[in-house]
Amino acid sequence: MKISAVIYIALLFSCSNDTPASSENNTSKPSDNNKIKDDFSYLAVNASGKIQKIGNNTGKISTFSQFEGLNESYFVHLNNITTNSEKIFLINHISPSDKLYIFDKKTKTTISKELVFPKEITGFEPTLTSIIWDESKKILYGIIVDNPYSKSPTNTCYFIKINPNNFTITYEGLTFNQTASSSAYLNNNKVYSSYLNDGFTIEIDLVNNTAKKVLYNNAKTTYIKPIAYDNNMAYCFRQVPSRNILTKLNLSNNTYEDVLPNESFYSYPPFGNGFIDKLNDQYICFMTDSQQFQILKYNISTKTFSVLKITSDSTIDSNLIIIDKIDN
């Protein structure tokens, strides 16, 4: 039985249709695509390991490549995908083991190897539930849950380091309690891990090798698709009854602020992270609206947003995550 059928339940969140005065609602129609030119493309990976390009202005999705050794019968959790400027890293779980795949963007080739966890990591079926790339240390961080079939916020999670050059794993004794990790990101020598239904965040201090539970605005906060913007700030979708709100997290004092309080969005699937387009100062996130696949572009400087409709000549796999941008 695949882990995807047991631990993670993809929730499609409902939304309202209020539009603030500050929005730049310049959604393009498929018929306009022949006239519109793309400046670059977003790079996306879906749950079967297909790597795709999405035009930043046309919204046209096309094939870029594929992780070798993966096929459509596999299901990769989007929180187990991360990237750097040269490689894309992906974890696939085939019970009872995890395998790490490394895709080279330049050569479009893949290497992979089954991971062996240290003997100190125990449980019913220890499973990686999020991976994060640290560019400064050239290393992968991973969060392992001891029992992926349990939905308890008191599950034991282990924090590990993975050397991408030789696939070795280092465990330094750090554990914490969380259902699993549906998203995790790195910021200022700290990793922030959350599970969409827990309502709290685990803040992992890499310098001191410690972990603590964090509440934003001193209350349980359910959020998805987070990503760090700078040393003090991250963006995400905050889930409230019947809708999702684009929200700014203050990481220095553990508070949040809704940046588009009158606007709601679907965000499916709810796993993995958002993406920051640093050149254009935008928070970028794949989402859906009444079965129309879209990309949200929120300009952090101007506090305005636009929605780009995604088009394709074939069926779009909605289980995808935007991880990077590339030249056309």
Side-chain angles (χ1 to χ4, degrees):
M1 178 171 54
K2 292 186 179 179
I3 186 174
S4 57
V6 184
I7 182 172
Y8 295 132
I9 302 174
L11 303 174
L12 183 61
F13 300 103
S14 59
C15 70
S16 65
N17 198 30
D18 299 326
T19 302
S22 61
S23 79
E24 298 174 346
N25 199 356
N26 60 349
T27 52
S28 60
K29 298 178 181 180
S31 59
D32 296 334
N33 286 355
N34 291 331
K35 302 176 183 178
I36 300 173
K37 300 298 182 183
D38 292 314
D39 304 309
F40 58 87
S41 292
Y42 299 110
L43 199 63
V45 181
N46 69 20
S48 60
K50 291 181 179 178
I51 307 169
Q52 298 167 306
K53 298 192 305 180
I54 306 174
N56 75 303
N57 292 323
T58 63
K60 180 70 174 179
I61 189 169
S62 58
T63 298
F64 179 78
S65 191
Q66 166 82 40
F67 274 88
E68 298 169 12
L70 287 173
N71 58 55
E72 292 184 0
S73 66
Y74 294 161
F75 187 94
V76 177
H77 295 293
L78 303 182
N79 32 310
N80 270 333
I81 301 170
T82 190
T83 188
N84 61 24
S85 60
E86 299 176 349
K87 309 286 178 62
I88 305 174
F89 306 93
L90 178 151
I91 296 289
N92 188 43
H93 181 83
I94 300 295
S95 182
S97 303
D98 286 331
K99 181 179 280 191
L100 171 60
Y101 294 77
I102 304 177
F103 174 85
D104 189 297
K105 296 178 185 177
K106 184 177 180 180
T107 64
K108 296 187 178 181
T109 56
T110 306
I111 60 173
S112 62
K113 187 175 181 179
E114 187 173 305
L115 297 175
V116 178
F117 296 153
K119 66 180 186 306
E120 295 89 349
I121 296 175
T122 61
F124 181 77
E125 189 176 309
T127 301
L128 272 160
T129 181
S130 273
I131 57 172
I132 311 102
W133 174 254
D134 187 336
E135 180 63 26
S136 64
K137 297 180 177 62
K138 309 297 182 183
I139 201 167
L140 285 165
Y141 300 126
I143 296 171
I144 297 173
V145 62
D146 65 339
N147 184 358
Y149 305 101
S150 169
K151 298 183 182 125
S152 169
T154 61
N155 286 342
T156 298
C157 292
Y158 302 85
F159 184 74
I160 63 170
K161 299 175 182 178
I162 307 172
N163 186 323
N165 297 316
N166 57 20
F167 295 88
T168 58
I169 293 176
T170 303
Y171 171 61
E172 298 176 348
L174 181 58
T175 64
F176 53 89
N177 297 116
Q178 194 170 40
T179 299
S181 179
S182 58
S183 64
Y185 63 95
L186 174 67
N187 185 68
N188 200 25
N189 285 320
K190 293 181 179 179
V191 169
Y192 296 84
S193 171
S194 63
Y195 184 74
L196 58 98
N197 292 328
D198 283 349
F200 60 84
T201 297
I202 297 295
E203 181 186 276
I204 300 167
D205 189 316
L206 299 175
V207 175
N208 298 313
N209 195 39
T210 58
K212 67 178 182 180
K213 186 181 294 186
V214 168
L215 294 176
Y216 292 98
N217 287 13
N218 293 316
K220 284 193 172 183
T221 305
T222 301
Y223 66 83
I224 59 175
K225 300 293 186 180
I227 192 68
Y229 174 69
D230 60 19
N231 287 339
N232 299 311
M233 200 181 310
Y235 285 85
C236 63
F237 287 129
R238 185 172 68 90
Q239 182 190 0
V240 297
S242 302
R243 64 194 188 116
N244 289 328
I245 303 173
L246 187 61
T247 298
K248 177 173 63 175
L249 301 176
N250 188 320
L251 304 176
S252 61
N253 60 13
N254 299 328
T255 60
Y256 70 78
E257 173 190 355
D258 295 333
V259 296
L260 295 175
N262 297 318
E263 188 71 24
S264 299
F265 304 98
Y266 284 107
S267 184
Y268 177 86
F271 307 109
N273 297 335
F275 171 69
I276 294 292
D277 179 351
K278 295 181 180 179
L279 182 62
N280 294 304
D281 203 30
Q282 293 176 327
Y283 169 82
I284 306 293
C285 192
F286 173 77
M287 62 180 191
T288 60
D289 182 9
S290 301
Q291 303 306 310
Q292 170 65 57
F293 302 114
Q294 303 173 332
I295 292 175
L296 170 68
K297 304 179 185 182
Y298 173 71
N299 189 294
I300 295 169
S301 297
T302 64
K303 299 182 180 181
T304 58
F305 75 96
S306 62
V307 175
L308 175 67
K309 292 183 179 180
I310 299 177
T311 63
S312 176
D313 295 332
S314 59
T315 302
I316 301 173
D317 185 339
S318 61
N319 285 288
L320 67 83
I321 185 173
I322 296 171
I323 60 167
D324 203 354
K325 52 186 286 191
I326 57 173
D327 295 332
N328 289 328

